[in-house]
Amino acid sequence: MTEATASRWPSVGRILSGVLVFQLGLGLLLVIGDMSGAGLSLPSFGPNQPQLTEPVSPGDQRRTFDPDRPRPANPTNPLPGRLTLTALEDSTYRLEGTIAPDDAARIIDLLGEADPVPARLVLQSPGGSVADALELGRYIRANDIATEMRAGEVCYSACPYVLAAGTLRTIAETASVGVHQHYFGQSTILPASFAVEDIQRGQGEVMIYLDEMGIDPLVMQHALTTPPDEIYVLLPEELERYNFIADD
């Protein structure tokens, strides 16, 4: 990390320490739940929780989330089951769909073969594989590609990591960007123990990645406190605060 980056976000080390403590506590709760036979689920709003179709406001940003029906404007029409790349205009392409395992390598090959050379990617995705999102994001940054979100479209879960990679990021006011915890599987005593280790390692990688992309890793506070079956929708002022878009 450069001195400029360190001075920009001096709290990154404290954030990582906080994440470690949080996840160790979570792991202990998971193991206790396994041993008791009761299992453990993280808290959620319950049946009366607002839906994605309802507008968000400060302090009221968590919504139920179904990755197969993520679009507030069109909840019954699922996005493609894996990433698709489609030419739009000039050197702009649409990247849309769930980020499935091994999608990064496949999309990187398609981007490398595309003519004209991609300069901008318009994103819409409910998320998916974090590892593939980070791999694809690093390719996007290395190749100086901009990212964009258009009005009424969504970028949730792992998708914001791809969005973050753009050398120029453009987000329409009515676009929806959301984060949540990454799913770690069923709760049984041995998998739970390994799951916590995987979460710690994975979240550390994500925070390092965000810092590399110029995004304030403090955005992860919202992801860590939002269960996988919910999504925390970032307000425009939060997108500015965490540097997804420039504060004019």
Side-chain angles (χ1 to χ4, degrees):
M1 184 185 299
T2 65
E3 292 184 4
T5 302
S7 64
R8 187 166 64 245
W9 293 307
S11 60
V12 170
R14 293 196 298 275
I15 298 169
L16 289 170
S17 298
V19 170
L20 177 61
V21 171
F22 173 86
Q23 292 173 339
L24 286 173
L26 175 60
L28 179 60
L29 289 173
L30 284 168
V31 172
I32 291 172
D34 292 328
M35 294 178 68
S36 69
L40 179 68
S41 61
L42 294 169
S44 63
F45 280 109
N48 295 322
Q49 182 185 352
Q51 304 297 305
L52 269 173
T53 51
E54 300 178 43
V56 299
S57 58
D60 178 33
Q61 294 160 252
R62 281 169 57 173
R63 296 290 183 268
T64 55
F65 178 68
D66 179 351
D68 293 328
R69 298 181 177 182
R71 289 183 281 192
N74 194 1
T76 62
N77 186 15
L79 294 168
R82 63 185 311 174
L83 285 178
T84 62
L85 185 70
T86 308
L88 293 179
E89 63 274 355
D90 299 327
S91 55
T92 297
Y93 294 77
R94 175 174 288 279
L95 187 60
E96 184 172 58
T98 298
I99 307 170
D102 300 321
D103 267 357
R106 182 175 59 84
I107 294 297
I108 287 170
D109 285 345
L110 292 175
L111 290 170
E113 297 167 358
D115 184 20
V117 174
R120 179 181 299 267
L121 292 175
V122 177
L123 305 178
Q124 181 162 222
S125 172
S129 167
V130 174
D132 284 84
L134 301 188
E135 181 181 351
L136 179 56
R138 287 194 167 100
Y139 176 89
I140 289 169
R141 176 58 61 89
N143 286 272
D144 196 26
I145 300 173
T147 55
E148 178 184 351
M149 286 195 64
R150 295 187 174 177
E153 299 190 338
V154 304
C155 183
Y156 294 148
S157 187
C159 176
Y161 307 144
V162 181
L163 175 65
T167 48
L168 173 65
R169 297 180 288 270
T170 306
I171 305 174
E173 185 174 352
T174 59
S176 185
V177 180
V179 297
H180 65 177
Q181 295 166 357
H182 302 306
Y183 182 71
F184 49 79
Q186 297 297 320
S187 179
T188 59
I189 188 165
L190 190 59
S193 302
F194 283 109
V196 174
E197 180 181 347
D198 288 342
I199 292 170
Q200 292 170 349
R201 180 173 58 251
Q203 295 292 1
E205 291 174 358
V206 166
M207 296 175 81
I208 291 170
Y209 170 88
L210 290 173
D211 188 58
E212 290 174 357
M213 298 300 155
I215 303 296
D216 188 343
L218 272 173
V219 69
M220 292 302 294
Q221 66 184 299
H222 305 297
L224 289 172
T225 56
T226 304
D229 61 349
E230 299 173 5
I231 204 78
Y232 180 95
V233 180
L234 295 164
L235 297 171
E237 54 264 36
E238 290 174 319
L239 292 170
E240 292 184 356
R241 182 187 312 153
Y242 300 124
N243 207 37
F244 277 93
I245 54 179
D247 185 356
D248 296 329

